[in-house]
Amino acid sequence: MVTTREKKIKFDPDPSDGEPDGELDLEQPAVPAPKRRKSNKPQFTDDDPALNPGPSSEKGKEKATSDQNQLIIRRSTKGGKLRDLMNMPVDIFTEVCSYLGPYDLRRLALTSKRLWDILMTKEARHIWKTSLASVLDLPECPTDLNEPQYVCLLYSSECYTIGCTSRGSKADWFHRVRFCSACHDVKMANHWDFTFNQSVKLGLRFSTLNAIQDYFDSHHVMRLGSNYHQRRTYSMRKNNERHFYIEALKKAGRDYEALSRAESVDYLSNLKVKREYWLETGTAMVEWKNNQLASRAEDIAAEKSARFESIKAKLLEMGWDEKDFPMSNKTFKDLLLKDQKLTPKIWQNIKPKLEPLLQSSRAERLASEKRQRRMNREVAIRRFYSQIGRDIMDLPFENCRLSSFPPKTDDIFALPSIKPLLDDDTETVEEERWIQVAPEVRLVVAKWWRDSLKQLADSVENTATASPNETNVKEESTENQEAKTAETIFAEIEVLKDKLSHATTVFFCKDTSCVRRIWWFPDFIRHSSSSHYCYNMGDLSVQLRPLEHEGRELVRRLLKDLRLDPETARSSDDVVNDQSQKTFLCTRCDERVAKYMTFSELIGHYLEAQKWFNDVTEAVRKSPDSYYPSRTVNSQLPKIVNDHDWVSRDAVLVREDDNETRDTVLQLQVAFRKASLADPLCDTKGIGGEDSQKNHWGEILRCCLLCPRSFAPFPCATTRIELHIRKKHDKEPDLEKDTTFERIYSSNPCPL
């Protein structure tokens, strides 16, 4: 029989085991958690015959046997099966307990009052030490705790407040306490609370609190635990605060105030030594606990993975595909990913729950795959269709937006020969099947391209007013159109392309921001698609317009002056497309101010000159004489000369200079600019002379008073304004009456 029950001693720290003097009596659970309410069951003692059978009469034996059978029937739980545990020898009991871990040993002590009395004695201390020694990397038990208290702090989830049954989720490893959330707010206080909050009453002097509070700050230990949880939850801001155990502060403060000055210094030195010990042991406990949590997380992940693999194997054997697993479904995911071993019973329970989810997921997957296959077929058809469009248009450049110019793919999808390709549930459209329907698609695109080119050609000749995307303008009858073969249509396309390739077929861009505004076929398609994002021929016709009759006559005159036949000159000639050779000079401009241009710039130059003349003529006609301060009220308006008129005169409009002539013209222009720096009226007006020598970086510019407002040239040198008056107003310039002057200073005063 076990004899240790005679002494029911509470398992408190033994001062003889090295516990330092003056240790604070921190609040620890001295008794097990509250027991359940006792039921009205019969109590049995060691003298009960049912537990201690011995020699008696036959009648007594029968009664004891019946009572024992009745006891077994009543107590069919685990507690009833441990009724003979007290009868084993003490050495066997000790040997059995030595194989238990700390957590299991504490749970065993909480099983019954008898086991609690046995294990919570100093005679059983070696059992606890053996159990703690079996734990890998576990720090040694601190001297301010006994082994059961140490086990309770590490493994239990009980709140240390007496009478509280809530779960103690907040542990302070520095103060060796554990509280629930409600008790933690009462028992613990942060620095702000007991310093500024009047609700926390410590009953200590302010000087006493300042002297001892730093020795009870648990922040350095608790931040290690909060850093681990912060990586997992990202919401542990409260654990980073400086917390203090209120009872420990009160006890230490009362002890400090009761001591003399000399004794208080020794007391603080002792607290400093204890704090260092608490920091060391608390840090070791936190690190060990974090390692245990990390190891447990790995074990849980391994258990979940093993369970998932087991269920996956069973589902695959049943004919399900892994693609059917709805891992985004929380219900399905919770059933698979549990840290619980899969047993046949568990499998039978979750199998009916998994099958509906798998069936729904399979139906969604099949529908999605069907939609994806149709999209793949549409992409393949668009790719083939785009290639046919490029082949038929046969443009000399590549552009990604050209695929949007032919008819829309929705019209192609509606063709009778294309619909079966979309309806067949295949992965993609094979090239062999596309070859079978390609002639019909090719004929549709060819007709569209033929009609578009024809309307472009008609718009150049001003014989059609419809936009190129209108397909019902000047088309043949349906019978004649159907009777034409593909060869006839392609022949018409070549004729139209040849007609549009003439150098006289010029298109003018309406966008004033474009540097080059003159385009020929087919470059205007690339320009519109890349610069103006035109996606069909209708948008292109809005952005570009062919030149008027006078503009086309201008191009003919320019080509003749360059000794080119307008009827045979092509837009592909170097004279049109080679923009790097700027060797064309306008003969209507003075050589001293003219500039070399490309053929496109030359056309734009004449068009702008013609537009300026028309606008300024209208302005002169509508403007009063008060716009011209150099004239009297009853005088006639100044005469404006259109020196760039290419219709009324037969003189040469353009010439192409060789390199020698070009160098000569450039030297003439340099000399002209140097001569423009001097103003002939600087002496009479007082501008120049000594003042000009002092401010030699200044330049005198003049403005024309004969031009209407907003039509005069920008302020320029005197010699250039004289050229302007002679050319545009057909008169000898009078600088005093026809011009006004102003001085413009350079931003850089350095004469060099």
Side-chain angles (χ1 to χ4, degrees), residues 52 62 136 152 164 246 286 300 531 575 643 675 678 688 694 702 731 744:
N52 299 318
E62 293 177 0
L136 184 64
C152 180
C164 180
I246 297 178
V286 170
I300 291 176
S531 300
V575 70
D643 55 344
K694 295 178 182 179
R702 291 189 174 274
K731 67 182 292 291
I744 306 298

Side-chain angles (χ1 to χ4, degrees), residues 91-101 105 126-128 130-132 134:
D91 55 345
I92 297 179
F93 178 78
T94 303
E95 184 69 19
V96 171
C97 292
S98 63
Y99 287 99
L100 297 178
L105 185 60
H126 66 282
I127 298 176
W128 292 92
T130 304
S131 179
L132 290 173
S134 64

